[in-house]
Amino acid sequence: MKKEPRDKDTVFDDFAEMVSQSWTYARMTEKEKDRCMRSIRFAQEHNLCSGTYDKRWRQLLAINSAFLDGLGYSGAFWREPASPIPQF
């Protein structure tokens, strides 16, 4: 089955919505959340993403990955509270 093409002009809103519901976004401070969304809007306002919806999505993934790297994102346990050591 062929996918229906998506409107490439909605990719920024779609991506911002996806990010705002992500596990990593939930662990950001309010300032970090604001900066994250500003980075997506900056890409939109300065026409930094081009091509099809899927190409623009991948470009936004690269921007988001760089943003998370700047926050020190380290994977599955990033900003998770330390688990207590079991007592035997």
Side-chain angles (χ1 to χ4, degrees):
M1 181 191 294
K2 188 174 180 180
K3 286 194 306 186
E4 191 169 320
R6 291 179 261 183
D7 182 358
K8 64 185 179 183
D9 294 327
T10 67
V11 72
F12 296 99
D13 291 334
D14 296 348
F15 193 82
E17 177 66 21
M18 182 274 301
V19 166
S20 71
Q21 295 177 21
S22 70
W23 178 90
T24 51
Y25 189 81
R27 282 151 183 77
M28 291 180 196
T29 66
E30 290 305 313
K31 281 186 178 183
E32 291 167 342
K33 289 176 181 179
D34 180 57
R35 289 178 187 143
C36 179
M37 290 301 152
R38 280 190 289 149
S39 70
I40 294 169
R41 296 299 168 212
F42 181 88
Q44 181 180 24
E45 292 165 3
H46 291 85
N47 298 316
L48 299 180
C49 298
S50 61
T52 65
Y53 185 99
D54 290 337
K55 287 181 181 179
R56 291 176 184 209
W57 188 272
R58 287 194 299 268
Q59 293 162 18
L60 288 168
L61 282 173
I63 291 167
N64 192 56
S65 178
F67 181 82
L68 289 173
D69 192 45
L71 293 182
Y73 175 72
S74 58
F77 301 106
W78 180 65
R79 296 189 176 174
E80 283 292 311
S83 296
I85 299 172
Q87 303 273 321
F88 295 103

